[in-house]
Amino acid sequence: MFANEISSVALGEKPVTITEFVAVARYHARVEFTESYVDIVRASRALIERFLAENRLIYGVTTGFGDNFTEVIAPGDAAELQANIVRSHAVSVGEPLSGEVVRAIWLMELIGLGKGYSGTGPDTLELIRTLLNADVIPYVPGEGSVGYLGPEAHMALLLIGEGRAWLGGELLDGAEVLRRVGARPIRFGCKEGLSLTNGTHSVTAIGVLAAHDASLAGQTADIAAGLSLQALKGTVRALDPRLHAVKRHPEQAGVAANLRRITENSPLSEEFLDYRLQDTYSLRGIPQMHGGAKRALNQAWTVVEEELDSVGDNPIIVPEDGDGIALMGANFDSTYVGIQSDAMANALTVLAKIAERRTDRMVNSNFSELPAFLAPNPGLHNGFMIAQYTSAALSMDLQGMAGPASARTVPTSANQEDPVSNAYSAALTAYRAAGKLGYILAIELLCAAQAFDLLAPRRPSPVSEAVKELIRSAAPEVTGDRAFHGDIEAIREFVRHGKVLRTVEARTGPLEC
């Protein structure tokens, strides 16, 4: 099932999948709480309130934050302490995060804090759920985080009637937003401000979106490659399963199998089976390069899904023999997601560089044996000449983004947090990288569709014809120059929302990931 086919997601009975997560964050599926979810939250809240009444020494509950952990806070100041962390930590800067990213972070907070190890109260989580289902989008500046804190604090301000948020496209102050949705500001109890700003919530949320989009782009890259292979008269002999059986990487064999299904019964492939003894690397190396990238993307999916079902808070409140204990540690660290996000950015760059090369070969008449730049009247018409420039520029952007953010660090909090994960930067980079690859694949698909028109009456495979028809539903055949920006945006949306993949899988069954 695709994410845009899910209408609601219930928290509490079973782990939330990446697809369900995206259904809420991107496609506005409603969030519901199960009875078990509410029961667990209430029990956890009762435990942390008892700890406060007993004046136990617990980080962030009866102590200050960061290097201020040595400062003891009186129980009577617990509520003020939690409001102070939210206000003082709302210091991220720059352009605001997109609505789907903010929705994703809120959903991740509901998932993580609802596991019963954080002590967050049911009223606080219910308010977040209400605002999420009402599509209230807090104004969250997106820069200046080494792993968490700043963006989450801007979101938490809204819960106490402060900050700003969008409602129905209108940017309003926090108190007015709450009034319009029929909600009231809350007063944070002990630990709630800390839990809402601390932990792996933002990094994991962005990492989930990145993993979803990267996986979808990886499968769509196989489809685009299959079309280009036919348009460039490539031989499918390089897809022989015997060739890939001796390379012990299942992803490589999977890509070759996908390409065989996409090119099956292709008159073009049959005609040009032995046109060349050996194709250029960007054609014959598709299974190897795509397969290597997919290994990294598949591993990232697994790790991100594990983190999605984890508790990333500190301290955690553990019920034990009717008494309970607060355990201080470093579950807030996002290194797992950070490293995998770096790997995703690298893998997406690999997919981009080979896709751009295939596009270049299609627009280059010396290689494609088609009219220059796929234009109907080269010289008078420029065709896809500059679209390839866009693909090249985006590919170079990705090459600059492929450096490992999780390897970088600057100490914070008076050296109490002496290394930092920098996973927030890594996750955002992977998420943005998937978006850039979507444009590169859109351009390749547009060029392949135009190449098929120019190759007529020769025909590609039936599956490829179906993809071409989808493309033509939004981008007509190029009979003269026009502004291609709208075409690229439209096909990129087809890629992003899985329409290209669904078109293929409706005829082939599920492709290999």
Side-chain angles (χ1 to χ4, degrees):
M1 179 176 287
F2 287 83
N4 56 6
E5 298 170 340
I6 298 171
S7 60
S8 67
V9 175
L11 305 185
E13 295 295 344
K14 56 184 175 50
V16 174
T17 67
I18 286 179
T19 303
E20 289 173 326
F21 191 98
V22 174
V24 174
R26 178 170 295 164
Y27 298 109
H28 300 85
R30 288 187 61 82
V31 175
E32 306 293 345
F33 291 162
T34 63
E35 185 176 343
S36 63
Y37 179 97
V38 175
D39 289 344
I40 288 171
V41 167
R42 285 176 175 158
S44 179
R45 184 64 203 163
L47 190 58
I48 192 67
E49 288 178 347
R50 181 160 62 81
F51 289 174
L52 179 66
E54 294 169 355
N55 200 19
R56 296 194 190 186
L57 191 62
I58 301 172
Y59 172 79
V61 177
T62 53
T63 76
F65 306 111
D67 192 50
N68 284 335
F69 75 97
T70 57
E71 303 296 327
V72 177
I73 307 299
D77 293 329
E80 183 180 353
L81 177 70
Q82 301 307 311
N84 286 345
I85 190 175
V86 169
R87 292 182 180 123
S88 65
H89 286 38
V91 293
S92 55
V93 297
E95 293 297 312
L97 296 174
S98 69
E100 73 173 27
V101 169
V102 175
R103 288 177 57 84
I105 296 171
W106 250 348
L107 175 58
M108 192 61 230
E109 289 180 344
L110 291 179
I111 294 170
L113 300 180
K115 289 186 176 294
Y117 294 96
S118 295
T120 310
D123 291 345
T124 299
L125 298 180
E126 177 59 33
L127 179 55
I128 293 174
R129 187 182 78 91
T130 297
L131 296 173
L132 184 58
N133 285 341
D135 198 26
V136 171
I137 307 297
Y139 184 96
V140 184
E143 298 179 35
S145 175
V146 298
Y148 49 91
L149 297 177
E152 293 93 333
H154 281 276
M155 297 173 66
L157 282 175
L158 184 60
L159 305 179
I160 57 175
E162 300 178 16
R164 293 183 292 168
W166 281 280
L167 178 62
E170 188 177 2
L171 185 59
L172 305 165
D173 67 72
E176 177 61 15
V177 169
L178 295 181
R179 187 189 69 79
R180 291 197 185 186
V181 299
R184 293 184 178 183
I186 61 171
R187 185 171 184 264
F188 290 137
C190 63
K191 197 178 178 292
E192 288 192 309
L194 174 62
S195 293
L196 288 166
T197 55
N198 183 41
T200 62
H201 299 135
S202 62
V203 171
T204 304
I206 300 166
V208 170
L209 293 175
H212 173 273
D213 291 354
S215 178
L216 183 56
Q219 291 176 289
T220 307
D222 288 354
I223 297 168
L227 269 62
S228 297
L229 182 65
Q230 296 168 81
L232 289 166
K233 305 173 183 176
T235 177
V236 295
R237 291 197 187 280
L239 308 178
D240 191 309
R242 294 170 295 182
L243 176 67
H244 302 287
V246 298
K247 192 89 164 181
R248 302 299 185 188
H249 302 304
E251 294 84 3
Q252 176 179 324
V255 173
N258 287 345
L259 292 174
R260 289 195 299 272
R261 293 160 77 180
I262 293 162
T263 59
E264 187 175 11
N265 297 322
S266 168
L268 274 168
S269 293
E270 291 173 7
E271 179 179 351
F272 295 104
L273 182 64
D274 294 309
Y275 189 61
R276 302 182 189 92
L277 177 65
Q278 180 171 272
D279 285 320
T280 186
Y281 194 1
S282 59
L283 297 182
R284 63 185 158 96
I286 294 167
Q288 290 80 1
M289 295 185 73
H290 282 211
K294 285 188 171 187
R295 170 64 66 88
L297 297 182
N298 289 342
Q299 180 173 320
W301 179 287
T302 297
V303 174
V304 168
E305 198 160 48
E306 289 171 350
E307 190 66 37
L308 175 55
D309 193 34
S310 298
V311 175
D313 199 3
N314 180 56
I316 64 167
I317 310 303
V318 182
E320 194 172 82
D321 298 328
D323 182 29
I325 188 172
L327 298 174
M328 274 69 78
N331 276 0
F332 57 82
D333 179 78
S334 296
T335 297
Y336 280 101
V337 176
I339 290 175
Q340 297 306 318
S341 294
D342 286 335
M344 281 192 278
N346 194 347
L348 293 164
T349 302
V350 169
L351 293 173
K353 74 179 183 181
I354 188 173
E356 184 279 324
R357 288 293 82 201
R358 293 189 298 261
T359 294
D360 179 71
R361 296 189 79 84
M362 283 189 283
V363 302
N364 188 331
S365 59
N366 295 308
F367 297 131
S368 69
E369 302 173 356
L370 292 168
F373 308 109
L374 304 173
N377 188 355
L380 176 63
H381 299 145
N382 296 291
F384 286 100
M385 177 194 295
I386 308 303
Q388 185 268 329
Y389 285 37
T390 301
S391 183
L394 292 169
S395 180
M396 287 189 286
D397 284 349
L398 283 163
Q399 291 166 34
M401 296 164 69
S406 60
R408 299 192 290 269
T409 186
V410 172
T412 59
S413 195
N415 237 46
Q416 174 67 8
E417 298 177 359
D418 38 2
V420 298
S421 70
N422 203 33
Y424 179 87
S425 176
L428 270 180
T429 297
Y431 171 70
R432 291 166 177 164
K436 287 179 182 287
L437 177 58
Y439 282 116
I440 291 171
L441 295 177
I443 292 169
E444 182 179 7
L445 289 164
L446 283 163
C447 288
Q450 181 68 8
F452 291 154
D453 285 329
L454 294 171
L455 284 163
R458 297 185 177 103
R459 298 179 64 184
S461 68
V463 170
S464 302
E465 288 269 25
V467 175
K468 180 193 162 188
E469 290 175 10
L470 174 67
I471 293 167
R472 288 287 173 254
S473 71
E477 179 182 354
V478 177
T479 57
D481 282 345
R482 62 176 184 259
F484 292 114
H485 168 263
D487 295 348
I488 296 169
E489 291 287 351
I491 306 308
R492 189 257 186 172
E493 287 300 290
F494 285 174
V495 172
R496 184 170 186 259
H497 297 297
K499 290 193 74 171
V500 176
L501 180 59
R502 280 201 301 273
T503 297
V504 170
E505 292 192 334
R507 292 157 178 82
T508 66
L511 294 182
E512 299 290 332
C513 294

